[in-house]
Amino acid sequence: MKYKMKVYALAAMTALLAVSCDSYKDPENPDKLVEADKNVSGTWQLTKVKRNSVDISEQMDFTKFKLHLEESGRYSLENRLPFPVSADGFWEVDDPTYPFSLSFNEDDVLGDPVTVEISYPIVDGRRQLTITHSPGCNLNSYEYVFVKSN
């Protein structure tokens, strides 16, 4: 009798497990939440420069350099510095929701656009745009940190 009870109990638990696992479905996004696109456009003022991970911001007044990224897709440079591009043109990000690279296509230049790595964090309550690039020489890497100017 005890043997039959154990078999019935085991069968009931197995059936219960099979039914309970199958009936529970966890939707991936039950609230239909959508990540907003990041608005990279605006006027960006250079605040910090690193060369090969060494901060060189104090060696020169970099704050006059500005990058204008218009919503129309045009960009322009103000008070030019060594930068991945030297002429105005068009810009775009690889993904508007999760931008990891920014491409510049200079006016009157044939060929592929110049693409740089970016990060887009909020630091101390302000949005920053960090551009990492290597201007021709792989031994030197630059990191430009911009903040949106008002």
Side-chain angles (χ1 to χ4, degrees):
M1 181 76 163
K2 285 185 176 181
Y3 178 72
K4 282 186 179 180
M5 291 292 284
K6 287 182 181 179
V7 170
Y8 288 134
L10 183 60
M13 286 177 45
T14 304
L16 185 60
L17 271 172
V19 171
S20 67
C21 289
D22 191 34
S23 65
Y24 179 73
K25 297 199 183 334
D26 184 19
E28 224 176 90
N29 191 357
D31 297 325
K32 305 289 186 242
L33 300 175
V34 177
E35 181 77 22
D37 287 350
K38 308 302 181 278
N39 185 8
V40 181
S41 63
T43 298
W44 295 93
Q45 181 174 5
L46 187 58
T47 59
K48 187 181 215 178
V49 178
K50 287 184 180 180
R51 181 179 58 218
N52 301 331
S53 301
V54 176
D55 189 346
I56 61 170
S57 303
E58 300 299 319
Q59 294 180 5
M60 187 175 152
D61 183 12
F62 292 104
T63 61
K64 293 180 181 174
F65 178 74
K66 291 184 182 175
L67 173 63
H68 302 279
L69 299 175
E70 299 173 16
E71 286 191 38
S72 66
R74 299 256 334 137
Y75 74 87
S76 61
L77 306 171
E78 185 178 328
N79 295 315
R80 299 178 196 275
L81 285 174
F83 197 68
V85 290
S86 57
D88 299 344
F90 291 92
W91 69 275
E92 67 180 351
V93 291
D94 59 333
D95 181 348
T97 306
Y98 303 104
F100 288 103
S101 66
L102 179 62
S103 295
F104 297 99
N105 199 347
E106 294 176 287
D107 289 338
D108 302 324
V109 175
L110 298 176
D112 294 331
V114 176
T115 302
V116 294
E117 294 178 24
I118 65 168
S119 63
Y120 195 61
I122 295 175
V123 178
D124 295 330
R126 292 185 75 186
R127 180 66 73 180
Q128 287 185 349
L129 176 67
T130 302
I131 294 178
T132 305
H133 69 98
S134 183
C137 175
N138 291 338
L139 298 176
N140 288 321
S141 175
Y142 287 87
E143 181 179 288
Y144 289 170
V145 179
F146 295 87
V147 293
K148 247 185 191 177
S149 60
N150 297 330

